[in-house]
Amino acid sequence: MKFLQNFYRSFSNDIGIDLGTANTLVYLSGKGIVINEPSVVAVNQKTGQIVAIGAEAKKMIGRTPGHIKAVRPLVEGVVSDFEVTEEMLAYYINKADKMGKKMFRPRVVVGVPSGITNVETRAVYDAAKSAGAREVYIVEEPMAAAIGIRLPVHDASGSMIIDIGGGTTDVAVISLAGVIQSKSLNMAGDKLNADIVSYFRDEFKILVGEKTAEEVKIKVGSALPLEEPIETPVRGRDLVTGLPREVVVTDSDIREAIMPSLKVLIDGVRQVIENTPPEILSDIMGRGIVLTGGGSLIRGLDIILQKVSKMPIYVAEEPLTAVARGTGIILQDFEKYKDVLVSNDDELPLR
């Protein structure tokens, strides 16, 4: 059986997938990250057919006729619509597989949040299998991110990582290829966007969409006051008159909007530190805590976490792609990293 597995693996593509709430990244062995697109699917509700997937579907958010709906099949990092998730995975797996031009169906490693249940993990496994994968392996996203930024996950010394994605934030302490302490928070990029939408509605009495909120967060969002305040114009619909209106918002406004959610993140980090064994904590104090994911790019977030944790905080290089790079490294040296996987698929496919 081992011989047959090795035979199939030598003639099939290895694909790593960061299955995120906001974006899906796909790593193809030998080529690196080949797909980085939004986790959005446009569905024709009359016929049930998929109209568009990824970047094309995201363009349709808020602009579609009544019978076409742009949906996110993953909510807070877990599968909320199995069939649409399967279609999306099949699209990305087939797209990546064609780039590799191998004979057999691919072997796939999928990153999932650390807090999901066995049932939710099984849903991801089944969706990837139904989408055309020959073998499917699941890895927790903070572990994949730690491997992606080359932390020594197999060492007896401890490492700590905070992965701030679109739907969830994973805070994890890692040692000896295992997660010693972790916490998954439903506070991430999408929650910050929702906070900004609510703030505009309550303070400025204008209605803006999720896409506008995300653009404003990227342009002027900050966790601490800036030396030079920045501002940006925002257009939306006046809730009183129903007509278009433009307002100018500053980093101070956005900070006020997102601060309650940032406090949830800070409390979550504090809880993980408090529950970490002292020997490992001393390792982390020397090595520092690493931030990954899109949320790590919020201005001043590393500084505020450093003040709270009393430990050095570093933002990883290319934090957006850390999980996808980690799945790729696992595939490149599978025997070394197979002990970090949540589940193993020892089936021989070709059923």
Side-chain angles (χ1 to χ4, degrees), residues 271-308:
Q271 287 173 30
V272 171
I273 291 172
E274 288 172 354
N275 294 324
T276 299
E279 290 84 0
I280 291 179
L281 205 55
S282 64
D283 297 333
I284 298 168
M285 289 177 72
R287 182 172 287 151
I289 300 170
V290 186
L291 299 181
T292 62
S296 66
L297 299 175
I298 295 173
R299 299 170 185 83
L301 181 59
D302 54 338
I303 298 170
I304 201 169
L305 286 171
Q306 188 162 309
K307 288 179 179 178
V308 171

Side-chain angles (χ1 to χ4, degrees), residues 138-147 151-161 172-182 280 283 287 330 333-344:
I138 306 294
V139 63
E140 292 181 335
E141 285 176 355
M143 179 64 79
I147 293 168
L151 287 179
V153 297
H154 284 99
D155 287 6
S157 59
S159 303
M160 185 168 176
I161 190 163
V173 175
I174 295 166
S175 179
L176 291 171
V179 176
I180 303 297
Q181 194 65 232
S182 70
I280 291 179
D283 297 333
R287 182 172 287 151
I330 291 169
D333 199 346
F334 194 78
E335 290 303 313
K336 178 181 177 181
Y337 289 104
K338 66 181 180 181
D339 55 346
V340 308
L341 300 170
V342 173
S343 64
N344 293 313

Side-chain angles (χ1 to χ4, degrees), residues 136-351:
V136 179
Y137 300 90
I138 306 294
V139 63
E140 292 181 335
E141 285 176 355
M143 179 64 79
I147 293 168
I149 60 176
R150 301 288 182 177
L151 287 179
V153 297
H154 284 99
D155 287 6
S157 59
S159 303
M160 185 168 176
I161 190 163
I162 303 172
D163 182 37
I164 309 170
T168 59
T169 293
D170 288 306
V171 186
V173 175
I174 295 166
S175 179
L176 291 171
V179 176
I180 303 297
Q181 194 65 232
S182 70
K183 192 171 185 66
S184 187
L185 306 168
N186 295 335
M187 193 304 299
D190 288 350
K191 179 64 171 69
L192 299 181
N193 295 344
D195 290 342
I196 293 169
V197 171
S198 297
Y199 185 84
F200 284 151
R201 185 180 62 242
D202 297 339
E203 297 295 323
F204 295 104
K205 299 296 183 287
I206 68 167
L207 187 65
V208 300
E210 177 190 328
K211 188 178 177 183
T212 300
E214 185 172 17
E215 289 170 355
V216 172
K217 178 183 69 180
I218 293 168
K219 284 181 182 177
V220 301
S222 72
L224 288 174
L226 303 175
E227 290 183 8
E228 294 185 12
I230 50 179
E231 59 182 36
T232 186
V234 178
R235 298 181 182 91
R237 188 173 75 227
D238 192 303
L239 289 171
V240 178
T241 65
L243 300 174
R245 181 159 69 93
E246 182 180 289
V247 297
V248 175
V249 298
T250 65
D251 60 285
S252 176
D253 294 320
I254 304 307
R255 191 161 50 254
E256 185 179 342
I258 66 176
M259 191 50 69
S261 291
L262 292 183
K263 285 179 179 175
V264 173
L265 168 61
I266 292 165
D267 288 343
V269 172
R270 187 184 285 117
Q271 287 173 30
V272 171
I273 291 172
E274 288 172 354
N275 294 324
T276 299
E279 290 84 0
I280 291 179
L281 205 55
S282 64
D283 297 333
I284 298 168
M285 289 177 72
R287 182 172 287 151
I289 300 170
V290 186
L291 299 181
T292 62
S296 66
L297 299 175
I298 295 173
R299 299 170 185 83
L301 181 59
D302 54 338
I303 298 170
I304 201 169
L305 286 171
Q306 188 162 309
K307 288 179 179 178
V308 171
S309 66
K310 311 296 185 188
M311 288 188 276
I313 303 284
Y314 306 101
V315 179
E317 288 186 25
E318 299 183 31
L320 289 162
T321 61
V323 173
R325 295 201 314 271
T327 62
I329 293 169
I330 291 169
L331 288 165
Q332 285 172 6
D333 199 346
F334 194 78
E335 290 303 313
K336 178 181 177 181
Y337 289 104
K338 66 181 180 181
D339 55 346
V340 308
L341 300 170
V342 173
S343 64
N344 293 313
D345 183 351
D346 292 326
E347 307 173 47
L348 274 184
L350 298 185
R351 355 169 232 182

Side-chain angles (χ1 to χ4, degrees), residues 6-261:
N6 292 333
F7 172 77
Y8 288 133
R9 286 170 185 173
S10 63
F11 289 98
S12 66
N13 293 309
D14 286 342
I15 295 175
I17 301 176
D18 174 9
L19 189 61
T21 304
N23 291 285
T24 296
L25 286 78
V26 180
Y27 178 99
L28 178 63
S29 55
K31 292 183 180 290
I33 295 170
V34 294
I35 296 170
N36 183 355
E37 294 197 36
S39 302
V40 182
V41 179
V43 182
N44 186 326
Q45 293 188 308
K46 288 182 180 177
T47 63
Q49 291 183 323
I50 303 296
V51 177
I53 295 174
E56 287 300 313
K58 188 172 183 180
K59 290 177 186 175
M60 298 179 182
I61 292 178
R63 296 186 173 94
T64 58
H67 66 284
I68 295 178
K69 188 176 181 182
V71 299
R72 292 181 182 272
L74 291 106
V75 176
E76 296 175 354
V78 300
V79 175
S80 64
D81 189 320
F82 181 85
E83 291 181 359
V84 175
T85 301
E86 184 185 320
E87 291 280 357
M88 185 179 75
L89 274 173
Y91 172 76
Y92 288 137
I93 288 173
N94 290 333
K95 188 175 179 180
D97 202 28
K98 286 176 183 175
M99 297 178 189
K101 297 179 180 177
K102 290 286 182 76
M103 189 182 302
F104 299 118
R105 292 186 298 167
R107 175 173 58 164
V108 175
V109 171
V110 185
V112 297
S114 61
I116 73 171
T117 64
N118 290 338
V119 173
E120 291 162 344
T121 300
R122 186 73 199 184
V124 174
Y125 176 93
D126 289 342
K129 200 81 171 178
S130 300
R134 193 187 78 254
E135 297 175 40
V136 179
Y137 300 90
I138 306 294
V139 63
E140 292 181 335
E141 285 176 355
M143 179 64 79
I147 293 168
I149 60 176
R150 301 288 182 177
L151 287 179
V153 297
H154 284 99
D155 287 6
S157 59
S159 303
M160 185 168 176
I161 190 163
I162 303 172
D163 182 37
I164 309 170
T168 59
T169 293
D170 288 306
V171 186
V173 175
I174 295 166
S175 179
L176 291 171
V179 176
I180 303 297
Q181 194 65 232
S182 70
K183 192 171 185 66
S184 187
L185 306 168
N186 295 335
M187 193 304 299
D190 288 350
K191 179 64 171 69
L192 299 181
N193 295 344
D195 290 342
I196 293 169
V197 171
S198 297
Y199 185 84
F200 284 151
R201 185 180 62 242
D202 297 339
E203 297 295 323
F204 295 104
K205 299 296 183 287
I206 68 167
L207 187 65
V208 300
E210 177 190 328
K211 188 178 177 183
T212 300
E214 185 172 17
E215 289 170 355
V216 172
K217 178 183 69 180
I218 293 168
K219 284 181 182 177
V220 301
S222 72
L224 288 174
L226 303 175
E227 290 183 8
E228 294 185 12
I230 50 179
E231 59 182 36
T232 186
V234 178
R235 298 181 182 91
R237 188 173 75 227
D238 192 303
L239 289 171
V240 178
T241 65
L243 300 174
R245 181 159 69 93
E246 182 180 289
V247 297
V248 175
V249 298
T250 65
D251 60 285
S252 176
D253 294 320
I254 304 307
R255 191 161 50 254
E256 185 179 342
I258 66 176
M259 191 50 69
S261 291

